[in-house]
Amino acid sequence: MAVTERTVRAWANRIAVNVKTAGSGPPVVFLHAAGGLVWDAFLDLLAEEYTVYAPEHPGTTAGDPDAIKPIDDLWDLVLFYYEVFDQLGLDRPAVVGGSFGGMVGAELAATEPNRVSKLVLIAPLGLWRDDAPIPNWMIMTPEELSQLIFHDPDGAVATQLLMPSEDEDERIEAWLSLTWSYACTGKFVWPIPDKGLWKRIHRITAPTLLVWGKSDRLVPPLYAEEFTRRIEGSVVEIVERTGHLPHLEAIGTVGPLVRNFLRA
């Protein structure tokens, strides 16, 4: 799949955000997780039927780490993304978000319900339960994190994401980049992860699909109950033998599931 990249300026021209794009068809905005944007097979699958726009969260772009500075809080981030939508010429795109990106997608759909046509949340952050506290992923080692987010911590997907190279220097560079992305996105998730979405989530009117891995130990599946209870008409799919990244560990199941939901 041919992926192009463009720079969009927003927030009174103070922030340049990289947006990766591929495919053709109705627009879908993909909001990536806290660790940064990786164009993967799941996005390729969506791009077979849709025009996928994947912006990098402010600061996580290697070329402009200072882009995080003008955005002070989550409210700023939500308004910033509406401006990005406008710059891309997107009126009411479908939004797909995973983990941190899912939280941002939910906030976008709750703040201005008419800006999001459909919503897919893949193991989103954003709610909190005292009986199932979400651990601080930002201070974990790759080994600790792997145990929480993957059904198979020693599997191919885990190895590819957390240990992308056999070269020690390249692994260190990759981990530093990941840590910086955590720092940038972490600006919007403290306290983890309750930023008040529970007060606004009832405003979501877009048809909503929730996808959760049954083996998710970072944001356990019982949070799916919280989201479906609070978003009227939403549906949830619990995917066996997957963790916090079901769209990667079970792409053959989740990819068609998401495409069919967007198409319906």
Side-chain angles (χ1 to χ4, degrees):
M1 179 67 65
V3 180
T4 61
E5 187 169 318
R6 62 183 288 191
T7 299
V8 172
R9 301 201 67 90
W11 213 241
N13 208 42
R14 285 179 290 170
I15 298 176
V17 57
N18 285 344
V19 182
K20 297 183 187 298
T21 307
S24 61
V28 172
V29 174
F30 177 78
L31 300 174
H32 66 80
L37 175 63
V38 176
W39 190 280
D40 51 41
F42 174 71
L43 295 182
D44 276 340
L45 196 65
L46 290 184
E48 291 177 3
E49 195 168 335
Y50 302 94
T51 303
V52 178
Y53 299 87
E56 295 178 321
H57 297 308
T60 62
T61 302
D64 190 13
D66 290 336
I68 188 64
K69 293 181 180 179
I71 305 291
D72 289 334
D73 51 32
L74 182 62
W75 178 235
D76 279 357
L77 186 66
V78 169
L79 296 179
F80 165 80
Y81 269 117
Y82 293 143
E83 292 189 10
V84 171
F85 282 14
D86 292 340
Q87 291 297 316
L88 293 171
L90 303 177
D91 181 21
R92 297 181 67 247
V95 173
V96 179
S99 193
F100 171 77
M103 183 188 82
V104 176
E107 292 283 8
L108 289 169
T111 304
E112 286 196 32
N114 63 334
R115 294 303 304 265
V116 176
S117 62
K118 286 190 176 182
L119 184 63
V120 178
L121 305 177
I122 303 172
L125 298 168
L127 299 179
W128 178 267
R129 285 180 56 149
D130 289 336
D131 61 338
I134 297 171
N136 186 352
W137 63 90
M138 293 176 281
I139 60 173
M140 293 181 177
T141 66
E143 293 76 18
E144 292 171 331
L145 188 61
S146 181
Q147 295 297 319
L148 292 182
I149 66 176
F150 297 108
H151 170 77
D152 181 4
D154 299 317
V157 174
T159 301
Q160 181 180 2
L161 288 179
L162 295 182
M163 303 291 278
S165 173
E166 294 183 359
D167 182 84
E168 181 66 19
D169 290 338
E170 291 181 0
R171 286 203 302 268
I172 291 173
E173 185 66 28
W175 187 249
L176 289 174
S177 177
L178 181 67
T179 302
W180 177 250
S181 291
Y182 283 160
C184 291
T185 53
K187 185 175 184 177
F188 310 109
V189 295
W190 191 264
I192 296 174
D194 187 353
K195 300 295 290 183
L197 177 60
W198 61 273
K199 295 183 292 185
R200 302 179 284 273
I201 196 171
H202 69 279
R203 290 173 46 82
I204 294 176
T205 58
T208 302
L209 170 68
L210 290 142
V211 181
W212 234 280
K214 190 172 184 179
S215 301
D216 191 345
R217 291 176 288 275
L218 182 68
V219 186
L222 61 83
Y223 277 93
E225 302 172 10
E226 289 295 318
F227 275 88
T228 52
R229 180 169 62 85
R230 295 169 184 270
I231 302 175
E232 185 175 355
S234 61
V235 295
V236 62
E237 295 284 348
I238 305 295
V239 185
E240 299 282 344
R241 301 181 63 78
T242 66
H244 191 60
L245 306 172
H247 59 301
L248 299 183
E249 283 196 288
I251 185 173
T253 298
V254 177
L257 185 71
V258 172
R259 289 207 312 187
N260 290 340
F261 173 78
L262 294 175
R263 188 188 305 127

